[in-house]
Amino acid sequence: MKKVGVVSRGICTPIIKQGMDLEKVVADSILEAASSEEGGFTLRDRDVVGVTESVVARSQGNYATLEQVAEDIKAKLNLPESGSVIGVTLPILSRNRFSHILRGISLAAEKLYIMLAYPSDEVGNPLINMDVLDEKGVNPYTDVFTADEFTKLFGKPSHPFTGIDYIEYYKEITDGKAEIILANEPCEILKYTKNVIAADIHTRHRSKRRLKSAGANVITLDEVLNASKNGSGWHPDYGVLGSNLATDNTIKLFPRDAQAFAEGLGARLYKESGKKIEVLVYGDGAFKDPVGGIWELADPVVSPGFTKGLEGTPNELKIKYLADNVSSEESDIQELIKSKKADLVGDMSSQGTTPRRFSDLLGSLCDLTSGSGDKGTPVVLVQGYFDSYAD
């Protein structure tokens, strides 16, 4: 029997700069790692290469200034040159993800009303503990608070990891233009203004539908910079969703043409290695921190582009079920795996396997492998992912 299963390796690359031939840089880095003394691995068919979305966007130069964000918002909401009021509903609590977008929004208005969800935002960043709501007899589905009422009842919030009081922070970065409201019903914002940016990520379509039905002049963040504005970067599907803080006055958007990049890199790797290697571009993994309760996925999707072999979901038997209920002999289990049905949906022998898409599972694995700090491995090579106990 083989002795090694799935292996996930971070691959070091040079610092990626705008205008670089990223396909070449990634392919060269993988081949050099494979032949190096510390690497010492051999590429195989159905290996998987993940490239973090950040370096794809940087190589493309997909950046925008805060002024370009503001100008596009003014145009999309058809706002006057002065005196405009904007409501912002249900943004996430983030310095890296949303704070710069909020700065851009504030440049488009003279007054802002920001509605924050509580007890936590959409991806789990908390303002207060859910148990405290119960102690205070608060119903988060119906009760609405001003910032002063909220802090009087619950005290000043502090993020468990960063220590940031996001109520005060969002006021501060908008130069005093913002009033904060705490509520979970987006239509509450219409008591203050009809001009609304639905700033949630994964629930944005429902929020926009409900706001529009209630009479709002509403856009979502995926509509901001969904085309270039005054020479800005853009993303046709996600706008400023998936963007990150870049400099004091710019954001880096989600990469465009990720599908074409994945397919191009796959073709280059095949040409240079002779192996049919799958490729995906990955962003945030889809997993939840069990201590902080924060769901990692602040990007609109885990993978905006991947090769054809990463379509679909696993079709796997549960070995521990087979060992407990059928046979604990290795040869029997191997034979069952070899002869498994092409579709195991509803089959008890597959119960408990993960019915998530390959692109989401592998993107999450790549995100955990590369990290988001100073490892210097924006490329990840996964080997053995599609192997089974029968191989």
Side-chain angles (χ1 to χ4, degrees), residues 42-317:
T42 301
L43 293 173
R44 300 184 298 172
D45 288 331
R46 298 224 77 189
D47 284 353
V48 179
V49 168
V51 182
T52 182
E53 58 82 20
S54 177
V55 297
V56 181
R58 186 182 300 120
S59 70
Q60 294 172 341
N62 202 22
Y63 293 83
T65 67
L66 303 191
E67 289 78 13
Q68 289 166 334
V69 171
E71 286 302 312
D72 200 44
I73 288 170
K74 287 179 182 178
K76 294 283 171 53
L77 287 175
N78 195 26
L79 298 176
E81 283 302 311
S82 62
S84 56
V85 180
I86 297 176
V88 181
T89 59
L90 308 179
I92 63 172
L93 307 174
S94 173
R95 294 172 297 173
N96 178 44
R97 292 293 194 162
F98 184 70
S99 68
H100 253 32
I101 296 173
L102 181 57
R103 290 178 196 269
I105 294 170
S106 72
L107 295 177
E110 289 193 9
K111 179 71 176 178
L112 291 175
Y113 291 94
I114 304 172
M115 176 183 292
L116 300 181
Y118 75 94
S120 62
D121 70 9
E122 174 184 11
V123 296
N125 292 294
L127 286 171
I128 52 172
N129 188 285
M130 179 67 84
D131 292 333
V132 177
L133 295 186
D134 297 336
E135 293 171 10
K136 301 290 185 179
V138 170
N139 184 343
Y141 299 103
T142 58
D143 293 346
V144 180
F145 300 95
T146 65
D148 288 342
E149 291 169 341
F150 191 83
T151 54
K152 184 177 180 180
L153 185 61
F154 299 111
K156 285 189 173 292
S158 177
H159 192 280
F161 298 144
T162 65
I164 297 291
D165 175 349
Y166 275 96
I167 292 176
E168 289 303 316
Y169 179 61
Y170 281 0
K171 285 182 183 178
E172 177 188 328
I173 65 174
T174 54
D175 298 323
K177 292 181 180 180
E179 266 185 53
I180 307 293
I181 304 143
L182 288 301
N184 291 296
E185 168 50 66
C187 293
E188 284 287 330
I189 202 73
L190 299 180
K191 294 177 181 177
Y192 304 90
T193 179
K194 299 293 184 183
N195 300 316
V196 182
I197 299 173
D200 42 345
I201 304 168
H202 306 292
T203 54
R204 64 188 183 277
H205 299 301
R206 179 173 185 264
S207 293
K208 181 179 180 179
R209 172 176 55 79
R210 297 183 68 239
L211 283 160
K212 193 171 182 179
S213 294
N217 174 31
V218 56
I219 60 173
T220 49
L221 291 180
D222 57 5
E223 295 175 277
V224 179
L225 295 184
N226 57 3
S228 182
K229 185 71 174 180
N230 300 329
S232 74
W234 79 98
H235 196 289
D237 301 313
Y238 300 124
V240 296
L241 284 180
S243 64
N244 285 269
L245 181 153
T247 69
D248 286 345
N249 193 52
T250 59
I251 57 174
K252 177 166 55 59
L253 280 68
F254 220 40
R256 300 188 306 272
D257 304 319
Q259 184 65 33
F261 171 79
E263 292 171 358
L265 178 57
R268 180 184 285 263
L269 287 167
Y270 179 68
K271 180 179 180 181
E272 298 191 16
S273 70
K275 303 300 178 182
K276 295 181 179 179
I277 295 172
E278 306 294 346
V279 177
L280 80 162
V281 176
Y282 67 92
D284 276 346
F287 49 83
K288 185 175 182 179
D289 183 281
V291 176
I294 297 170
W295 184 34
E296 175 70 8
L297 189 55
D299 286 326
V301 291
V302 174
S303 175
F306 49 87
T307 50
K308 189 173 180 61
L310 300 182
E311 294 176 355
T313 59
N315 186 61
E316 298 176 342
L317 296 171

Side-chain angles (χ1 to χ4, degrees), residues 9-13 27-43 381:
R9 290 183 177 89
I11 304 295
C12 296
T13 70
D28 288 351
S29 297
I30 292 169
L31 293 170
E32 288 166 9
S35 62
S36 70
E37 185 176 342
E38 64 175 323
F41 56 86
T42 301
L43 293 173
L381 173 67

